Protein backbone atom coordinates (compact mmCIF):
# COMPACT_ATOMS: atom_id res chain seq x y z
CA UNK A 1 0.00 0.00 0.00
CA UNK A 2 2.92 2.32 0.76
CA UNK A 3 4.21 1.82 -2.79
CA UNK A 4 0.91 3.11 -4.12
CA UNK A 5 1.20 6.29 -2.04
CA UNK A 6 4.90 7.00 -2.67
CA UNK A 7 6.13 6.34 -6.23
CA UNK A 8 9.53 4.84 -6.91
CA UNK A 9 12.34 7.38 -7.00
CA UNK A 10 14.04 7.56 -10.39
CA UNK A 11 17.11 9.82 -10.19
CA UNK A 12 17.23 10.29 -13.96
CA UNK A 13 13.61 11.41 -14.27
CA UNK A 14 13.33 13.38 -11.02
CA UNK A 15 16.73 15.11 -10.88
CA UNK A 16 18.53 15.03 -14.24
CA UNK A 17 15.84 15.28 -16.92
CA UNK A 18 14.35 18.59 -15.68
CA UNK A 19 17.73 20.27 -16.21
CA UNK A 20 18.65 18.54 -19.45
CA UNK A 21 15.46 17.98 -21.46
CA UNK A 22 13.34 20.73 -19.87
CA UNK A 23 15.97 23.23 -18.77
CA UNK A 24 14.11 26.39 -19.77
CA UNK A 25 10.84 25.39 -18.09
CA UNK A 26 12.67 24.29 -14.93
CA UNK A 27 14.64 27.54 -14.87
CA UNK A 28 11.56 29.78 -14.99
CA UNK A 29 9.60 27.71 -12.45
CA UNK A 30 12.45 27.62 -9.93
CA UNK A 31 13.36 31.27 -10.51
CA UNK A 32 9.77 32.31 -9.82
CA UNK A 33 9.71 30.12 -6.72
CA UNK A 34 12.96 31.62 -5.46
CA UNK A 35 11.85 35.21 -6.05
CA UNK A 36 8.57 34.63 -4.22
CA UNK A 37 10.16 32.80 -1.30
CA UNK A 38 13.05 35.25 -0.89
CA UNK A 39 10.88 38.37 -1.17
CA UNK A 40 8.20 37.05 1.19
CA UNK A 41 10.92 35.87 3.57
CA UNK A 42 12.74 39.20 3.69
CA UNK A 43 9.53 41.07 4.43
CA UNK A 44 8.52 38.26 6.77
CA UNK A 45 11.58 38.81 8.98
CA UNK A 46 10.20 42.20 10.02
CA UNK A 47 6.64 40.87 10.18
CA UNK A 48 7.71 38.12 12.61
CA UNK A 49 9.85 40.50 14.69
CA UNK A 50 6.82 42.76 15.10
CA UNK A 51 4.73 39.76 16.20
CA UNK A 52 2.53 40.33 13.15
CA UNK A 53 2.66 36.80 11.74
CA UNK A 54 -1.05 36.32 12.35
CA UNK A 55 -1.68 39.74 10.86
CA UNK A 56 0.19 38.53 7.78
CA UNK A 57 -2.12 35.53 7.70
CA UNK A 58 -5.12 37.84 7.95
CA UNK A 59 -3.81 40.06 5.16
CA UNK A 60 -3.08 37.10 2.87
CA UNK A 61 -6.68 35.93 3.21
CA UNK A 62 -8.49 39.26 3.40
CA UNK A 63 -6.95 40.54 0.16
CA UNK A 64 -9.46 38.40 -1.71
CA UNK A 65 -12.39 40.84 -1.49
CA UNK A 66 -10.15 43.70 -2.63
CA UNK A 67 -9.01 41.69 -5.63
CA UNK A 68 -12.54 40.49 -6.41
CA UNK A 69 -13.97 44.02 -6.26
CA UNK A 70 -11.15 45.28 -8.49
CA UNK A 71 -12.03 42.59 -11.05
CA UNK A 72 -15.74 43.39 -10.86
CA UNK A 73 -15.19 47.13 -11.32
CA UNK A 74 -12.57 46.97 -14.07
CA UNK A 75 -13.48 43.67 -15.79
CA UNK A 76 -9.73 43.24 -16.15
CA UNK A 77 -7.07 40.86 -14.90
CA UNK A 78 -4.30 43.44 -15.23
CA UNK A 79 -1.82 43.71 -12.38
CA UNK A 80 -2.48 47.36 -11.54
CA UNK A 81 -6.13 47.03 -10.42
CA UNK A 82 -5.22 43.87 -8.53
CA UNK A 83 -2.46 45.71 -6.69
CA UNK A 84 -4.66 48.69 -5.85
CA UNK A 85 -7.49 46.50 -4.59
CA UNK A 86 -5.14 44.34 -2.56
CA UNK A 87 -3.33 47.28 -0.95
CA UNK A 88 -6.61 48.91 0.05
CA UNK A 89 -7.88 45.60 1.46
CA UNK A 90 -4.64 45.09 3.40
CA UNK A 91 -4.77 48.53 4.99
CA UNK A 92 -8.47 48.09 5.80
CA UNK A 93 -7.68 44.75 7.42
CA UNK A 94 -5.07 46.17 9.79
CA UNK A 95 -7.26 49.21 10.56
CA UNK A 96 -10.24 47.00 11.42
CA UNK A 97 -8.10 44.77 13.65
CA UNK A 98 -6.76 47.79 15.52
CA UNK A 99 -10.25 49.31 15.79
CA UNK A 100 -11.76 46.14 17.27
CA UNK A 101 -8.82 45.65 19.62
CA UNK A 102 -8.78 49.22 20.94
CA UNK A 103 -12.54 49.77 21.18
CA UNK A 104 -13.45 46.55 22.95
CA UNK A 105 -12.14 43.93 25.35
CA UNK A 106 -11.53 41.49 22.53
CA UNK A 107 -7.96 40.14 22.47
CA UNK A 108 -5.73 40.74 19.41
CA UNK A 109 -5.80 37.10 18.26
CA UNK A 110 -9.62 37.05 18.39
CA UNK A 111 -9.80 40.36 16.52
CA UNK A 112 -7.53 38.96 13.81
CA UNK A 113 -9.69 35.86 13.50
CA UNK A 114 -12.88 37.90 13.24
CA UNK A 115 -11.55 40.24 10.56
CA UNK A 116 -9.72 37.80 8.33
CA UNK A 117 -12.43 35.10 8.40
CA UNK A 118 -15.13 37.63 7.58
CA UNK A 119 -13.21 39.32 4.75
CA UNK A 120 -11.99 35.98 3.40
CA UNK A 121 -15.56 34.66 3.29
CA UNK A 122 -16.72 37.82 1.51
CA UNK A 123 -13.90 37.39 -1.02
CA UNK A 124 -14.79 33.73 -1.68
CA UNK A 125 -18.46 34.65 -2.19
CA UNK A 126 -17.57 37.45 -4.59
CA UNK A 127 -15.13 35.29 -6.55
CA UNK A 128 -17.54 32.36 -6.73
CA UNK A 129 -20.43 34.57 -7.76
CA UNK A 130 -18.62 36.61 -10.39
CA UNK A 131 -15.99 34.18 -11.69
CA UNK A 132 -17.99 33.55 -14.87
CA UNK A 133 -18.09 37.26 -15.63
CA UNK A 134 -14.48 38.20 -14.99
CA UNK A 135 -12.73 34.94 -15.91
CA UNK A 136 -11.32 34.51 -12.41
CA UNK A 137 -10.09 31.04 -11.42
CA UNK A 138 -10.71 30.51 -7.71
CA UNK A 139 -8.30 27.58 -7.44
CA UNK A 140 -5.52 29.62 -9.05
CA UNK A 141 -6.02 32.46 -6.57
CA UNK A 142 -6.15 30.09 -3.59
CA UNK A 143 -3.49 27.52 -4.48
CA UNK A 144 -1.38 28.99 -7.28
CA UNK A 145 -0.20 27.48 -10.56
CA UNK A 146 3.56 27.90 -10.63
CA UNK A 147 3.85 25.02 -13.09
CA UNK A 148 2.18 27.19 -15.77
CA UNK A 149 4.71 30.01 -15.49
CA UNK A 150 6.70 28.93 -18.63
CA UNK A 151 3.48 29.14 -20.68
CA UNK A 152 2.62 32.71 -19.68
CA UNK A 153 3.13 35.60 -22.05
CA UNK A 154 6.73 36.78 -22.42
CA UNK A 155 8.05 40.27 -21.84
CA UNK A 156 10.20 41.59 -24.67
CA UNK A 157 12.59 44.46 -25.18
CA UNK A 158 12.61 45.20 -28.87
CA UNK A 159 12.70 41.82 -30.58
CA UNK A 160 14.36 40.07 -27.66
CA UNK A 161 12.24 38.03 -25.26
CA UNK A 162 13.42 38.41 -21.66
CA UNK A 163 11.18 35.94 -19.86
CA UNK A 164 7.64 35.18 -18.67
CA UNK A 165 5.83 38.34 -17.58
CA UNK A 166 5.03 37.07 -14.03
CA UNK A 167 8.72 36.31 -13.43
CA UNK A 168 9.85 39.71 -14.72
CA UNK A 169 7.19 41.46 -12.62
CA UNK A 170 8.19 39.51 -9.51
CA UNK A 171 11.86 40.30 -10.15
CA UNK A 172 11.08 44.02 -10.32
CA UNK A 173 9.03 43.87 -7.12
CA UNK A 174 11.82 41.90 -5.41
CA UNK A 175 14.37 44.55 -6.40
CA UNK A 176 12.10 47.34 -5.11
CA UNK A 177 11.54 45.50 -1.81
CA UNK A 178 15.28 45.01 -1.33
CA UNK A 179 15.96 48.69 -2.03
CA UNK A 180 13.26 49.74 0.46
CA UNK A 181 14.63 47.40 3.13
CA UNK A 182 18.16 48.73 2.62
CA UNK A 183 17.08 52.37 2.57
CA UNK A 184 14.78 52.15 5.61
CA UNK A 185 16.68 49.44 7.47
CA UNK A 186 17.47 51.50 10.57
CA UNK A 187 13.92 52.79 10.89
CA UNK A 188 12.45 49.31 10.47
CA UNK A 189 14.91 47.92 13.00
CA UNK A 190 14.10 50.49 15.67
CA UNK A 191 10.32 50.38 15.17
CA UNK A 192 10.36 46.58 15.19
CA UNK A 193 12.14 46.27 18.54
CA UNK A 194 11.17 49.41 20.46
CA UNK A 195 8.29 51.58 19.25
CA UNK A 196 8.73 53.94 22.21
CA UNK A 197 12.38 54.58 21.38
CA UNK A 198 11.47 55.10 17.72
CA UNK A 199 8.87 57.72 18.67
CA UNK A 200 11.39 59.52 20.89
CA UNK A 201 13.78 59.66 17.92
CA UNK A 202 11.12 61.23 15.71
CA UNK A 203 10.34 58.01 13.81
CA UNK A 204 6.63 57.26 13.48
CA UNK A 205 5.95 53.57 14.31
CA UNK A 206 2.50 53.80 12.67
CA UNK A 207 3.93 55.01 9.36
CA UNK A 208 6.35 52.10 9.11
CA UNK A 209 3.75 49.63 10.32
CA UNK A 210 1.30 50.58 7.59
CA UNK A 211 4.15 50.91 5.11
CA UNK A 212 5.14 47.33 5.88
CA UNK A 213 1.52 46.29 5.40
CA UNK A 214 1.46 48.04 2.02
CA UNK A 215 4.64 46.28 0.86
CA UNK A 216 3.38 42.96 2.18
CA UNK A 217 0.11 43.37 0.28
CA UNK A 218 1.92 44.06 -2.98
CA UNK A 219 4.22 41.06 -2.48
CA UNK A 220 1.26 38.77 -1.72
CA UNK A 221 -0.60 39.82 -4.87
CA UNK A 222 2.50 39.34 -7.00
CA UNK A 223 2.90 35.86 -5.49
CA UNK A 224 -0.61 34.68 -6.27
CA UNK A 225 0.37 33.18 -9.61
CA UNK A 226 2.98 30.96 -7.99
CA UNK A 227 2.01 29.97 -4.45
CA UNK A 228 -1.55 31.27 -4.10
CA UNK A 229 -3.16 33.04 -1.19
CA UNK A 230 -3.35 29.92 1.00
CA UNK A 231 0.32 29.01 0.74
CA UNK A 232 1.83 32.50 0.64
CA UNK A 233 1.77 32.60 4.45
CA UNK A 234 4.22 29.69 4.54
CA UNK A 235 6.67 31.70 2.46
CA UNK A 236 6.24 34.69 4.81
CA UNK A 237 6.66 32.73 8.04
CA UNK A 238 8.99 29.77 7.42
CA UNK A 239 12.12 31.47 5.97
CA UNK A 240 12.06 34.23 8.59
CA UNK A 241 11.33 32.03 11.63
CA UNK A 242 13.92 29.46 10.58
CA UNK A 243 16.64 32.07 10.06
CA UNK A 244 15.81 33.78 13.36
CA UNK A 245 16.14 30.38 15.06
CA UNK A 246 19.70 30.15 13.78
CA UNK A 247 21.06 33.61 14.56
CA UNK A 248 20.46 36.68 16.72
CA UNK A 249 21.85 39.09 14.12
CA UNK A 250 19.22 40.48 11.79
CA UNK A 251 21.53 41.12 8.78
CA UNK A 252 22.73 37.51 8.95
CA UNK A 253 19.12 36.34 9.33
CA UNK A 254 18.22 38.16 6.11
CA UNK A 255 21.08 36.42 4.27
CA UNK A 256 20.07 33.04 5.67
CA UNK A 257 16.52 33.71 4.49
CA UNK A 258 17.76 34.08 0.91
CA UNK A 259 19.82 30.88 1.18
CA UNK A 260 16.84 28.98 2.61
CA UNK A 261 14.73 30.21 -0.29
CA UNK A 262 17.11 28.46 -2.68
CA UNK A 263 16.74 25.21 -0.73
CA UNK A 264 12.95 25.49 -0.62
CA UNK A 265 12.76 26.07 -4.36
CA UNK A 266 15.13 23.37 -5.58
CA UNK A 267 14.16 20.60 -3.18
CA UNK A 268 10.47 21.52 -3.45
CA UNK A 269 10.59 21.45 -7.24
CA UNK A 270 12.16 17.99 -7.37
CA UNK A 271 9.89 16.69 -4.61
CA UNK A 272 6.89 17.81 -6.65
CA UNK A 273 8.24 16.00 -9.72
CA UNK A 274 8.80 12.85 -7.70
CA UNK A 275 5.36 12.80 -6.08
CA UNK A 276 3.49 14.40 -9.01
CA UNK A 277 2.30 17.10 -6.59
CA UNK A 278 1.97 20.87 -6.78
CA UNK A 279 5.29 22.68 -6.67
CA UNK A 280 4.02 25.37 -4.29
CA UNK A 281 2.80 22.74 -1.83
CA UNK A 282 6.07 20.81 -2.08
CA UNK A 283 8.04 23.98 -1.40
CA UNK A 284 6.00 24.55 1.75
CA UNK A 285 6.59 20.95 2.85
CA UNK A 286 10.35 21.39 2.45
CA UNK A 287 10.12 24.68 4.37
CA UNK A 288 8.34 22.89 7.21
CA UNK A 289 10.93 20.11 7.29
CA UNK A 290 13.85 22.54 7.38
CA UNK A 291 12.18 24.51 10.17
CA UNK A 292 11.74 21.28 12.13
CA UNK A 293 15.45 20.52 11.77
CA UNK A 294 16.34 24.04 12.95
CA UNK A 295 13.90 23.74 15.87
CA UNK A 296 15.51 20.47 16.91
CA UNK A 297 19.21 21.10 16.23
CA UNK A 298 19.74 24.88 16.40
CA UNK A 299 22.88 25.42 18.56
CA UNK A 300 21.34 28.08 20.82
CA UNK A 301 17.59 27.62 20.51
CA UNK A 302 17.23 24.01 19.41
CA UNK A 303 15.16 21.62 21.51
CA UNK A 304 17.89 18.99 21.75
CA UNK A 305 20.49 21.55 22.77
CA UNK A 306 18.22 22.86 25.52
CA UNK A 307 17.63 19.34 26.86
CA UNK A 308 21.36 18.59 26.89
CA UNK A 309 22.15 21.87 28.67
CA UNK A 310 19.50 21.19 31.31
CA UNK A 311 20.92 17.74 31.93
CA UNK A 312 24.41 19.18 32.15
CA UNK A 313 23.25 21.72 34.74
CA UNK A 314 21.36 19.07 36.67
CA UNK A 315 24.38 16.77 36.77
CA UNK A 316 26.93 19.53 37.49
CA UNK A 317 28.32 19.28 41.05
CA UNK A 318 27.41 22.25 43.23
CA UNK A 319 30.10 23.77 45.37
CA UNK A 320 29.47 24.23 49.09
CA UNK A 321 31.19 26.44 51.60
CA UNK A 322 32.77 25.29 54.86
CA UNK A 323 29.34 25.00 56.51
CA UNK A 324 27.87 22.86 53.71
CA UNK A 325 25.79 25.67 52.17
CA UNK A 326 25.38 25.87 48.41
CA UNK A 327 27.61 28.43 46.71
CA UNK A 328 24.95 30.67 45.13
CA UNK A 329 27.42 32.40 42.82
CA UNK A 330 28.69 29.12 41.41
CA UNK A 331 25.13 27.84 41.02
CA UNK A 332 24.22 30.99 39.10
CA UNK A 333 27.14 30.51 36.74
CA UNK A 334 25.98 26.96 36.05
CA UNK A 335 22.55 28.28 35.11
Amino acid sequence: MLNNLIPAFDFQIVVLDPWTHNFQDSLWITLMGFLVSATCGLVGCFVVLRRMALVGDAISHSLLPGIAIAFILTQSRNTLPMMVGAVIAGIVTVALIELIRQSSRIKPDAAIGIVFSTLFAIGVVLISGYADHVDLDTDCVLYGQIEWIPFEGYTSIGNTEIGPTPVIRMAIISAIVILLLVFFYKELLVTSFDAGLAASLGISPAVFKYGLVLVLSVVIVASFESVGVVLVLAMIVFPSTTSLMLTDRLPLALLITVFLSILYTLFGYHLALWLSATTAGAMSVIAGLIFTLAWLFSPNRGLIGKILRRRQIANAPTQTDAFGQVDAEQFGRNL
Side-chain angles (χ1 to χ4, degrees):
M1 181 176 179
L2 187 61
N3 292 333
N4 294 331
L5 294 175
I6 303 178
F9 181 81
D10 189 317
F11 186 83
Q12 177 71 33
I13 295 176
V14 175
V15 179
L16 297 182
D17 285 352
W19 300 103
T20 53
H21 297 87
N22 298 307
F23 173 78
Q24 187 171 7
D25 291 350
S26 299
L27 175 64
W28 293 126
I29 292 172
T30 53
L31 180 58
M32 184 66 173
F34 167 73
L35 291 173
V36 169
S37 179
T39 308
C40 290
L42 291 173
V43 177
C45 282
F46 295 96
V47 171
V48 170
L49 286 174
R50 291 168 174 265
R51 302 179 184 270
M52 291 174 56
L54 286 178
V55 176
D57 186 15
I59 292 173
S60 66
H61 287 77
S62 60
L63 296 186
L64 279 180
I67 294 173
I69 292 172
F71 271 117
I72 294 169
L73 294 177
T74 64
Q75 297 288 307
S76 172
R77 297 182 62 181
N78 292 332
T79 302
L80 182 59
M82 286 179 60
M83 292 288 185
V84 173
V87 168
I88 293 174
I91 294 176
V92 169
T93 299
V94 176
L96 287 176
I97 292 172
E98 291 296 321
L99 178 63
I100 294 174
R101 185 180 65 84
Q102 295 179 6
S103 62
S104 68
R105 300 178 62 182
I106 296 176
K107 300 296 183 181
D109 56 343
I112 291 171
I114 291 170
V115 172
F116 103 76
S117 59
T118 302
L119 293 179
F120 182 67
I122 293 173
V124 170
V125 170
L126 289 174
I127 290 174
S128 301
Y130 292 91
D132 293 337
H133 302 287
V134 293
D135 189 26
L136 181 59
D137 185 355
T138 306
D139 289 339
C140 180
V141 173
L142 295 179
Y143 308 115
Q145 294 292 337
I146 193 172
E147 296 82 4
W148 292 95
I149 290 296
F151 305 102
E152 297 285 346
Y154 276 57
T155 297
S156 302
I157 296 180
N159 296 325
T160 304
E161 291 185 341
I162 302 176
T165 300
V167 179
I168 303 303
R169 181 169 58 243
M170 194 68 215
I172 295 172
I173 292 175
S174 300
I176 293 173
V177 168
I178 292 173
L179 289 175
L180 289 174
L181 293 181
V182 171
F183 191 77
F184 294 108
Y185 175 78
K186 292 182 180 179
E187 290 82 358
L188 287 169
L189 183 65
V190 175
T191 55
S192 297
F193 284 99
D194 194 333
L197 176 61
S200 67
L201 295 174
I203 302 172
S204 174
V207 169
F208 284 92
K209 179 179 180 178
Y210 283 97
L212 188 63
V213 169
L214 188 151
V215 172
L216 183 61
S217 301
V218 172
V219 171
I220 290 173
V221 174
S223 304
F224 277 170
E225 292 175 272
S226 55
V227 300
V229 66
V230 173
L231 294 176
V232 71
L233 179 65
M235 295 298 101
I236 293 172
V237 173
F238 276 125
S240 55
T241 52
T242 304
S243 62
L244 293 172
M245 284 280 293
L246 299 175
T247 181
D248 293 325
R249 299 180 57 200
L250 184 55
L252 182 57
L254 296 175
L255 293 177
I256 294 175
T257 294
V258 176
F259 174 73
L260 290 174
S261 300
I262 298 174
L263 298 183
Y264 298 160
T265 303
L266 292 179
F267 283 99
Y269 178 58
H270 291 291
L271 177 64
L273 292 175
W274 176 31
L275 301 179
S276 298
T278 64
T279 305
M283 287 173 57
S284 298
V285 170
I286 295 298
L289 292 175
I290 293 177
F291 171 79
T292 302
L293 292 175
W295 173 63
L296 289 174
F297 300 107
S298 174
N300 296 324
R301 296 185 175 87
L303 180 62
I304 294 177
K306 289 182 178 179
I307 293 174
L308 293 177
R309 285 193 294 271
R310 288 174 183 174
R311 288 183 178 180
Q312 184 180 8
I313 293 173
N315 296 329
T318 56
Q319 297 182 4
T320 59
D321 57 18
F323 299 98
Q325 300 295 322
V326 174
D327 187 342
E329 183 178 353
Q330 177 64 30
F331 184 73
R333 284 197 296 268
N334 289 335
L335 292 177

